[in-house]
């Protein structure tokens, strides 16, 4: 368990609230960007922050949330660890003002803010279909999470809109890791008929797909189209650059703080689930 000292100092503003921020610091390549946005929004509102690293593990998550509550924080911003929702259930049950950030859960009893998944994934599939791809495969994220399920449904929505049939053999789980995605890509590319295009449903998994294509001598863009969800820095500089849906991470952080402040002001108001549209970044990995 790692609970970090407060990282936002306020010399000019009185502290109005003290919030806990709990996430896996190294679980996502954009969590530093998310934290910067949260810090900035909290500073503007005169709020203090106590950061806690969950290691993206349910057991660690439970421990750091107990520590934050013992420290009497006024509310919690939580990027939930995948799997068990016991921590979220406990926060809701005990009435702790809570906002789930980035990883939307399939529930309506807690405030949440994250990216829109259905239309964004559909748009990626439709873009590939417009390039005359008919065997479009999907590499999904961690199984059993709401975000992975929504992105998989968005993939199916895109196939339907493009007039293409869904084939379960063109879907493989990359477990939201580079290694898992490399194995999923190998499985799909070894299938018959093999896909001509891959939709990768998470940032970290794009690395594994790139590695597997390079290992096989497959040229991304000309021999295999690849598009992804999320925009890691390297995706802009590799050749070819990766066509992606870039999540509005900074806006997610700002809105999360706003939601938590609203919850503290109006504890009885109806929970909100805010979805922010990602931005389509067209580069060369899709072959156009």
């Amino acid at each position: 368990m790692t609970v970090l000292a407060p990282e936002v100092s306020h010399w000019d503003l009185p502290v109005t609230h003290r919030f806990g921020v709990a996430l896996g610091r190294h679980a996502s390549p954009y969590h530093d960007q998310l934290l910067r946005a949260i810090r900035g929004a909290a500073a503007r509102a005169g709020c203090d922050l106590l950061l806690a690293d969950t290691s993206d593990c349910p057991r660690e998550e439970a421990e750091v949330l107990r520590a934050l509550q013992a420290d009497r924080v006024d509310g919690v911003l939580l990027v939930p660890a995948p799997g068990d929702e016991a921590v979220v259930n406990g926060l809701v049950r005990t009435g702790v003002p809570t906002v789930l950030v980035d990883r939307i859960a399939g529930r309506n009893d807690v405030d949440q803010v994250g990216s829109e998944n259905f239309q964004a994934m559909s748009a990626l599939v439709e873009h590939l279909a417009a390039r005359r791809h008919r065997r479009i495969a999907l590499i999904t994220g961690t199984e059993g999470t709401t975000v992975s399920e929504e992105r998989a449904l968005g993939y199916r929505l895109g196939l339907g809109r493009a007039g293409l049939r869904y084939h379960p053999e063109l879907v493989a789980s990359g477990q939201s890791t580079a290694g898992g995605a490399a194995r999923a890509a190998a499985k799909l590319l070894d299938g018959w008929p093999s896909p001509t295009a891959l939709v990768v449903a998470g940032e970290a998994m794009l690395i594994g797909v790139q590695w597997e294509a390079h290992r096989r001598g497959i040229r991304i863009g000309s021999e295999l189209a690849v598009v992804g969800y999320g925009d890691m820095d390297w995706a802009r500089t590799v050749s070819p650059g990766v066509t992606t849906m870039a999540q509005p991470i900074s806006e997610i952080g700002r809105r999360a703080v706003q939601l938590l402040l609203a919850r503290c002001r109006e504890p009885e108001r109806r929970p909100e689930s805010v979805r922010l549209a990602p931005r389509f970044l067209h580069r060369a990995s899709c072959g156009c």
Side-chain angles (χ1 to χ4, degrees):
M1 177 182 69
T2 305
V3 178
L4 306 178
E7 294 197 11
V8 178
S9 299
H10 307 289
W11 297 281
D12 300 320
L13 292 171
V15 174
T16 58
H17 293 287
R18 190 163 182 253
F19 294 146
V21 182
L23 49 69
R25 288 295 301 271
H26 305 294
S28 168
Y30 55 75
H31 276 176
D32 283 345
Q33 181 185 351
L34 179 64
L35 279 174
R36 285 195 298 272
I38 290 172
R39 290 187 186 113
R44 288 189 293 274
C47 298
D48 200 6
L49 297 180
L50 185 63
L51 305 184
D53 187 358
T54 67
S55 301
D56 217 32
C57 165
R59 181 179 56 81
E60 291 284 328
E61 181 181 75
E63 291 185 13
V64 300
L65 263 296
R66 280 195 292 270
L68 289 173
Q69 289 179 271
D71 225 340
R72 298 187 180 279
V73 294
D74 298 310
V76 172
L77 298 166
L78 172 65
V79 178
D84 192 1
E85 290 191 9
V87 166
V88 179
N89 292 337
L91 291 169
V92 171
R93 185 176 60 253
T94 56
V96 177
T98 301
V99 177
L100 305 187
V101 186
D102 183 36
R103 290 176 180 163
I104 295 289
R107 54 196 303 160
N108 59 8
D109 58 353
V110 63
D111 291 308
Q112 310 186 66
V113 58
S115 295
E116 194 283 325
N117 293 306
F118 296 105
Q119 302 301 329
M121 287 293 287
S122 176
L124 288 173
V125 174
E126 292 175 76
H127 178 74
L128 292 170
R131 292 287 303 168
R132 300 184 183 278
H133 290 283
R134 295 295 177 265
R135 299 192 303 279
I136 303 171
L138 171 68
I139 297 180
T140 66
T142 303
E143 295 171 331
T145 64
T146 299
V147 169
S148 292
E149 291 171 356
E150 289 184 353
R151 291 180 187 174
L153 287 172
Y155 162 79
R156 295 188 69 162
L157 176 64
L159 291 176
R161 286 175 172 174
L164 301 176
R165 291 183 57 191
Y166 171 76
H167 296 283
E169 62 270 20
L170 288 178
V171 178
S173 175
Q175 297 298 321
S176 297
T177 67
R183 291 188 292 273
K187 175 183 176 182
L188 292 168
L189 293 170
D190 285 339
W192 182 260
S194 62
T196 61
L198 293 179
V199 180
V200 185
E203 296 88 344
M205 295 189 293
L206 281 166
I207 298 173
V209 171
Q210 289 269 345
W211 183 88
E212 181 62 22
H214 178 74
R215 187 183 74 83
R216 291 170 177 255
I218 295 174
R219 291 175 296 176
I220 290 177
S222 57
E223 297 176 327
L224 177 69
V226 174
V227 299
Y229 197 109
D231 188 37
M232 297 165 65
D233 289 340
W234 66 264
R236 309 166 199 169
T237 58
V238 296
S239 181
V242 184
T243 295
T244 64
M245 282 288 181
Q247 298 183 81
I249 299 301
S250 295
E251 182 60 18
I252 287 173
R254 289 190 291 268
R255 291 295 294 274
V257 174
Q258 292 169 4
L259 277 177
L260 191 52
L261 287 167
R263 174 60 55 194
C264 290
R265 288 193 299 266
E266 301 178 66
E268 301 304 318
R269 71 178 182 82
R270 178 177 297 179
E272 290 185 55
S273 183
V274 177
R275 305 299 187 103
L276 301 174
R279 183 164 55 102
F280 180 65
L281 298 178
H282 185 206
R283 302 187 181 109
S285 68
C286 56
C288 56

